[in-house]
């Protein structure tokens, strides 16, 4: 946790607590107890208990003692931690009218300048406008409009892996981001798109780090945002300033380039072009809301590229550690698709085991293990406890997807758990816990599902995935260690790829063909 000077913390904490006490409103539910949790200390609460790394694992351990609804406080702020699907649905779906707000992310929104991102917006007109635009772009039927770009990007990914398999992890990152840049700005592969991807990766890396609730004390003491950058302990201000510029570069540079092309009448078809047209059509004076357009495209990049990359790397690790599952999926693909073409969306219904592998990838290590926090807008009662107004609500998606009530041996990668069994109920579909709840459910979930499925099935159709080998020819055991952050992923290469010997020369000629689909 980034700590300012002790005096600053104590003064700010005392002032904050006094103000809250003075202006506190009494609720009819105020006599109800708060949910259980670790015992807080006076004034500072559970500040020493809040983990700053891999929080979902700590919270899952706490749930074994305190139950699936827990409460902790930090400097007078309440955090409610949910560790079961039942609690998440009860509080965030059924009571979405009062639990769909977002807490104010002081570090992310105020200091880093991500207030344009709908993921972090509070309820209100801006949020509703943004959600409406995203739904129009990403509802299931509209998502099909992106199939061509997904096919082309997937083919390009396979070609790069074929020619340089040793750096497959770089190719996965490059193409997951590049594919989104092509969809958002119509920019084909090349140095300009590469520049966009680099800028976006820099910005998102800062967001992922700052997204850890508990990472920065300013999120619990908003008054600290006024501490000058030169003060001892105010290093978070310097970091926020750097990350803020990265975020602006990510959304401004591609937009300005496309706008210049639009003004000359040569803008390629893209999401941004579509949004500019819509803004101009709806405007009475020919103006447009540039911040709105940049915000929507920035949101789509963050929601598409980084989470997709996390799932891709998890898939690679799973295939390395479970070669028999890999071979079974490849045999299914060969039987349905053959050796002379690549799998396509129309093949999906005929590849059930591939579908089970995809579901298990989403379950085994979810890319956003704690989701994005909600904020409770008024006191509510739940199972005899009070969920206090203003509380930040976190859903431990990782805990839900490793709950033995839903899955036997949940830490094992086992796609067979999704194979239908006569007389047995189907296990929980991981998508029900992975894409959010209530009015905050991810609007891009259908697009993400399509994009990931095509990339996974094509990688398996084209390559054998095995453990990496070092310069001495010795097999390197993958660590399986995931980085901590709002979005998590493996922290280093976990696999080696080689050309699949079962495929025909005609198959490989497809990847070297300039005509992509």
């Amino acid at each position: 946790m980034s700590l300012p000077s002790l005096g600053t913390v104590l003064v700010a904490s005392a002032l904050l607590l006094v103000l809250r006490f003075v202006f506190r409103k009494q609720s009819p539910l105020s006599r109800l107890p708060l949910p259980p949790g670790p015992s807080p200390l006076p004034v500072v609460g559970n500040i020493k208990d809040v983990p700053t790394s891999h929080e979902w694992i700590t919270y899952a351990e706490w749930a074994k003692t305190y139950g699936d609804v827990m409460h902790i406080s930090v400097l007078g702020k309440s955090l409610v931690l949910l560790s079961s699907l039942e609690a998440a649905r009860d509080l965030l779906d059924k009571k979405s009218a009062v639990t769909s707000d977002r807490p104010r992310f002081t570090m992310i929104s105020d200091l880093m300048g991500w207030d344009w991102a709908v993921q972090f917006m509070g309820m209100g007109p801006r949020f509703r406008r943004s959600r409406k635009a995203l739904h129009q772009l990403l509802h299931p039927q509209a998502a099909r409009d992106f199939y061509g770009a997904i096919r082309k990007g997937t083919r390009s990914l396979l070609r790069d892996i074929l020619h340089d398999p040793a750096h497959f992890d770089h190719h996965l990152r490059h193409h997951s981001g590049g594919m989104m840049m092509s969809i958002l700005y119509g920019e084909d592969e090349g140095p300009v798109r590469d520049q966009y991807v680099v800028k976006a990766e820099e910005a998102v890396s800062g967001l992922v780090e700052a997204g850890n609730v508990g990472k920065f004390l300013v999120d619990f003491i908003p008054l600290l945002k006024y501490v000058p950058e030169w003060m001892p302990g105010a290093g978070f201000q310097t970091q926020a300033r750097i990350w803020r510029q990265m975020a602006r570069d990510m959304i401004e540079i591609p937009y300005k380039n496309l706008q210049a092309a639009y003004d000359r009448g040569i803008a390629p078809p893209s999401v941004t072009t579509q949004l500019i047209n819509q803004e101009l059509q709806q405007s009475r004076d020919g103006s447009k809301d540039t911040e709105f357009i940049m915000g929507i495209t920035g949101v789509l990049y963050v929601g598409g590229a980084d989470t997709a990359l996390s799932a891709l790397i998890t898939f690679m690790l799973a295939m390395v550690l479970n070669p028999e599952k890999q071979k079974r999926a490849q045999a299914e693909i060969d039987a349905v698709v053959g050796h002379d073409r690549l799998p396509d969306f129309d093949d999906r219904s005929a590849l059930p085991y591939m579908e089970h592998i995809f579901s298990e990838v989403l379950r085994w290590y979810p890319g956003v293990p704690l989701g994005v926090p909600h904020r409770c807008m008024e006191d509510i009662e739940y199972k005899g406890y009070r969920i206090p107004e203003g509380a930040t609500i976190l859903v431990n998606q990782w805990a839900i997807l490793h709950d033995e009530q839903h899955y036997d041996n949940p830490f094992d990668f086992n796609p067979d758990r999704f194979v239908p069994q006569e007389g047995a109920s189907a296990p929980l579909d991981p998508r029900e816990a992975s894409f959010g709840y209530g009015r905050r459910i991810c609007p891009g979930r259908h697009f993400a599902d399509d994009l990931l499925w095509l990339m996974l099935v094509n990688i398996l159709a084209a390559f054998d995935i095995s453990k990496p080998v070092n310069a001495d020819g010795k097999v390197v055991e993958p660590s399986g260690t995931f980085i901590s952050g709002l979005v998590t992923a493996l922290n280093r290469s976990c696999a080696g790829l080689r050309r699949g010997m079962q495929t025909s020369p005609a198959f490989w000629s497809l990847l070297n063909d300039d005509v992509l689909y």
Side-chain angles (χ1 to χ4, degrees):
M1 186 176 293
S2 299
L3 296 176
S5 66
L6 180 60
T8 302
V9 172
L10 292 176
V11 171
S13 302
L15 179 60
L16 190 64
L17 292 175
V18 168
L19 290 173
R20 284 185 176 167
F21 179 80
V22 170
F23 294 103
R24 181 178 58 183
K25 295 187 296 182
Q26 290 296 318
S27 160
L29 302 177
S30 59
R31 294 181 180 272
L32 291 177
L34 295 169
S39 298
L41 296 172
V43 182
V44 297
N46 299 101
I47 192 169
K48 291 186 176 181
D49 300 315
V50 177
T52 58
S53 177
H54 300 84
E55 304 96 314
W56 50 92
I57 297 176
T58 299
Y59 295 154
E61 285 298 313
W62 287 0
K64 296 175 182 178
T65 301
Y66 303 109
D68 61 342
V69 182
M70 299 175 287
H71 175 271
I72 59 175
S73 66
V74 178
L75 300 170
K77 282 195 170 185
S78 289
L79 273 70
V80 174
L81 312 169
L82 310 180
S83 298
S84 74
L85 186 66
E86 176 191 21
R89 286 174 170 171
D90 287 346
L91 289 171
L92 303 183
D93 284 342
K94 296 178 183 178
K95 296 184 180 293
S96 62
V98 294
T99 58
S100 293
D101 201 11
R102 291 291 195 216
R104 185 65 183 176
F105 300 90
T106 306
M107 183 67 175
I108 290 175
S109 295
D110 293 349
L111 298 181
M112 293 171 57
W114 283 80
D115 53 339
W116 46 263
V118 68
Q119 293 100 319
F120 309 115
M121 285 181 188
M123 297 294 287
R126 287 179 66 216
F127 169 75
R128 290 191 291 272
R129 183 188 180 198
S130 298
R131 285 285 296 193
K132 181 179 179 181
L134 290 169
H135 175 74
Q136 291 172 343
L137 288 167
L138 298 172
H139 66 80
Q141 193 58 42
R144 293 176 177 270
D145 294 340
F146 303 119
Y147 277 9
I150 295 173
R151 290 187 184 106
K152 184 175 181 179
T154 300
R155 181 74 63 82
S156 184
L157 167 64
L158 299 183
R159 187 171 54 210
D160 280 358
I161 293 175
L162 172 64
H163 295 307
D164 182 20
H167 298 98
F168 80 91
D169 47 348
H170 166 78
H171 302 317
L172 293 179
R173 178 177 294 278
H174 176 81
H175 282 283
S176 59
M179 196 182 305
M180 291 305 302
M181 289 301 178
S182 294
I183 291 170
L184 296 176
Y185 303 105
E187 191 67 48
D188 287 333
E189 285 187 71
V192 173
R193 196 183 80 169
D194 291 347
Q195 178 198 27
Y196 293 172
V197 172
V198 169
K199 294 290 185 185
E201 285 181 352
E202 291 173 346
V204 172
S205 66
L207 175 65
V208 167
E209 184 172 346
N212 282 346
V213 175
K215 176 73 174 181
F216 293 99
L217 197 60
V218 68
D219 285 324
F220 296 109
I221 310 178
L223 288 174
L224 293 178
K225 69 182 179 181
Y226 299 112
V227 174
E229 187 176 331
W230 50 263
M231 281 192 66
F236 69 95
Q237 292 280 24
T238 302
Q239 191 62 71
R241 174 173 52 80
I242 295 170
W243 284 340
R244 185 185 190 94
Q245 186 59 54
M246 290 177 177
R248 294 309 300 180
D249 287 347
M250 180 185 79
I251 62 174
E252 286 182 353
I253 292 174
Y255 174 80
K256 289 178 179 178
N257 288 344
L258 187 135
Q259 181 65 63
Y262 188 94
D263 293 340
R264 298 196 303 271
I266 58 173
S270 68
V271 167
T272 303
T273 305
Q274 183 178 339
L275 289 170
I276 291 174
N277 288 333
Q278 290 176 358
E279 283 284 294
L280 293 176
Q281 291 169 6
Q282 296 169 7
S283 173
R284 295 181 179 179
D285 58 2
S287 63
K288 59 185 180 299
D289 189 338
T290 299
E291 280 293 314
F292 171 75
I293 297 172
M294 291 192 299
I296 292 297
T297 52
V299 161
L300 289 172
Y301 182 89
V302 173
D306 221 45
T307 52
L309 177 65
S310 176
L312 284 166
I313 298 294
T314 298
F315 163 74
M316 302 299 284
L317 176 65
M319 294 298 94
V320 163
L321 298 180
N322 299 273
E324 73 286 354
K325 311 297 184 186
Q326 178 184 169
K327 294 302 180 186
R328 182 173 171 183
Q330 288 174 325
E332 179 183 71
I333 295 168
D334 290 345
V336 171
V337 177
H339 297 162
D340 297 321
R341 69 176 179 89
L342 291 167
D344 200 4
F345 292 109
D346 292 339
D347 299 311
R348 188 166 184 174
S349 61
L351 298 170
Y353 194 72
M354 186 65 225
E355 199 69 39
H356 302 330
I357 282 183
F358 185 22
S359 293
E360 186 69 344
V361 166
L362 296 176
R363 184 204 70 81
W364 192 44
Y365 221 105
V368 189
L370 288 176
V372 182
H374 289 235
R375 175 183 174 274
C376 190
M377 301 163 68
E378 62 183 48
D379 280 3
I380 56 177
E381 184 272 336
Y382 183 64
K383 293 187 175 181
Y385 295 111
R386 176 171 62 95
I387 309 299
E389 177 184 358
T392 294
I393 302 175
L394 288 172
V395 180
N396 193 340
Q397 296 176 170
W398 184 89
I400 293 171
L401 295 173
H402 289 78
D403 189 337
E404 292 183 353
Q405 293 185 16
H406 301 302
Y407 310 103
D408 293 331
N409 302 313
F411 293 94
D412 294 343
F413 182 87
N414 180 20
D416 295 274
R417 70 175 79 250
F418 295 104
V419 176
Q421 303 292 328
E422 186 175 352
S425 58
L428 172 69
D429 185 339
R431 295 163 184 81
E432 295 187 37
S434 300
F435 290 107
Y437 300 87
R439 301 175 189 182
R440 292 289 180 168
I441 193 168
C442 175
R445 60 194 183 279
H446 307 294
F447 167 78
D449 195 81
D450 289 339
L451 180 148
L452 279 170
W453 180 86
L454 194 70
M455 294 179 82
L456 300 190
V457 72
N458 273 263
I459 288 172
L460 274 188
F463 299 103
D464 292 326
I465 309 169
S466 59
K467 294 178 181 178
V469 177
N470 63 21
D472 297 326
K474 295 182 179 179
V475 171
V476 178
E477 293 294 332
S479 69
T481 302
F482 285 74
I483 62 171
S484 183
L486 178 64
V487 180
T488 187
L490 279 169
N491 65 0
R492 66 176 186 173
S493 296
C494 65
L497 289 91
R498 63 180 183 275
R499 177 169 164 162
M501 299 309 294
Q502 75 278 16
T503 53
S504 68
F507 178 94
W508 291 108
S509 69
L510 290 173
L511 301 186
N512 293 309
D513 196 339
D514 290 334
V515 180
L516 303 179
Y517 280 90

